[in-house]
Amino acid sequence: MEDIEAIAVLQDPVRRRLYDYVVTQDHDVSRNEAAEGAGIQRTLAAFHLDKLVDAGLLETESKRLSGRSGPGAGRPAKLYRRSGAERQFSVPARDYRTAADLLAEVAEVARLDTELQAAARREGRAAACPVEDLAAAKELLAARGYEPREDGDVLRLVNCPFHVLSQRHPGLVCGMNLALLEGLLDDAEGLRARMDPRPGLCCVVVEPSKNNES
């Protein structure tokens, strides 16, 4: 019920705009910035942002934006970012996460990494569509929930669709994820997926292939 109630909070169009704005930024967002990004007044933004916090969809931190401290530094600003909690529900109730965790555990014990990666690569190729450049790859990965962001000529993936499993079985699941993305980009001329694990990000990045560099 908590998951249903949390997701229901996003039915309000103002809250949805605010949530979408906050989670697409690469930094914690102040009330002023969120209000401007959503095109609403600051007091209204503050009200709805705190509703999103109450629902467990956003987290807050108080910080002085000026970097100053002591007398005259002003009050700390309230900053917002996406919550690390996951929300999901199904009707009727299903528990695919437990099944996935058990299957991953068996695959890990049986050392089926190679077989899993081959299956993931086939799945990626089956779901692939024409990708001509990094912009097209960004659109494709966004549609699959990776939340890609440009970092120079590299696409860093902010969201891992397999986050819970990757925390419990990192070697197995990250290898599967890389193979899946390799399959998706199999026909992409001059692009490659490679491992580049960083805290808070997906373990894979997409970038121009070295073979495509002049």
Side-chain angles (χ1 to χ4, degrees):
M1 287 300 298
E2 288 182 1
D3 285 354
I4 295 175
E5 292 170 357
I7 295 172
V9 168
L10 295 175
Q11 287 186 320
D12 184 289
V14 174
R15 290 175 192 167
R16 183 57 185 264
R17 288 207 310 273
L18 284 166
Y19 178 80
D20 287 343
Y21 180 81
V22 171
V23 302
T24 55
Q25 306 310 304
D26 61 0
H27 57 273
D28 293 355
V29 175
S30 69
R31 287 174 170 174
N32 287 340
E33 182 185 349
E36 184 177 348
I40 59 176
Q41 293 183 342
R42 182 185 184 279
T43 52
L44 183 61
F47 172 78
H48 286 298
L49 285 167
D50 287 340
K51 288 295 183 182
L52 290 167
V53 172
D54 292 341
L57 296 170
L58 296 180
E59 296 175 346
T60 63
E61 178 183 1
S62 293
K63 184 184 298 183
R64 285 190 173 89
L65 299 181
S66 66
R68 297 163 54 196
S69 59
R75 295 177 59 186
K78 198 170 188 179
L79 304 179
Y80 297 83
R81 60 178 173 267
R82 176 164 50 189
S83 168
E86 292 188 1
R87 302 289 182 180
Q88 64 176 3
F89 70 92
S90 62
V91 179
R94 299 287 188 261
D95 189 7
Y96 299 114
R97 180 176 292 176
T98 298
D101 191 45
L102 290 171
L103 290 169
E105 183 178 346
V106 170
E108 203 168 47
V109 171
R111 299 187 178 183
L112 298 176
D113 304 61
T114 300
E115 292 82 355
L116 179 60
Q117 290 168 20
R121 197 169 284 107
R122 288 194 299 270
E123 174 67 20
R125 286 171 181 159
C129 59
V131 174
E132 299 178 354
D133 53 25
L134 210 60
K138 183 178 180 180
E139 185 176 343
L140 173 65
L141 295 170
R144 297 186 69 90
Y146 283 96
E147 297 184 14
R149 290 182 188 164
E150 295 180 28
D151 181 10
D153 60 353
V154 173
L155 284 182
R156 299 204 179 275
L157 310 180
V158 177
N159 182 54
C160 173
F162 316 108
H163 175 70
V164 172
L165 282 178
S166 69
Q167 296 297 300
R168 296 174 179 170
H169 313 278
L172 182 78
V173 176
C174 290
M176 177 199 75
N177 188 32
L178 175 61
L180 177 66
L181 292 178
E182 286 175 338
L184 276 172
L185 300 172
D186 193 48
D187 293 328
E189 186 70 26
L191 295 178
R192 68 167 183 170
R194 69 173 176 86
M195 296 291 288
D196 186 18
R198 298 192 179 191
L201 300 177
C202 176
C203 57
V204 180
V205 298
V206 175
E207 64 183 6
S209 170
K210 292 183 180 295
N211 295 332
N212 196 49
E213 296 177 358
S214 57

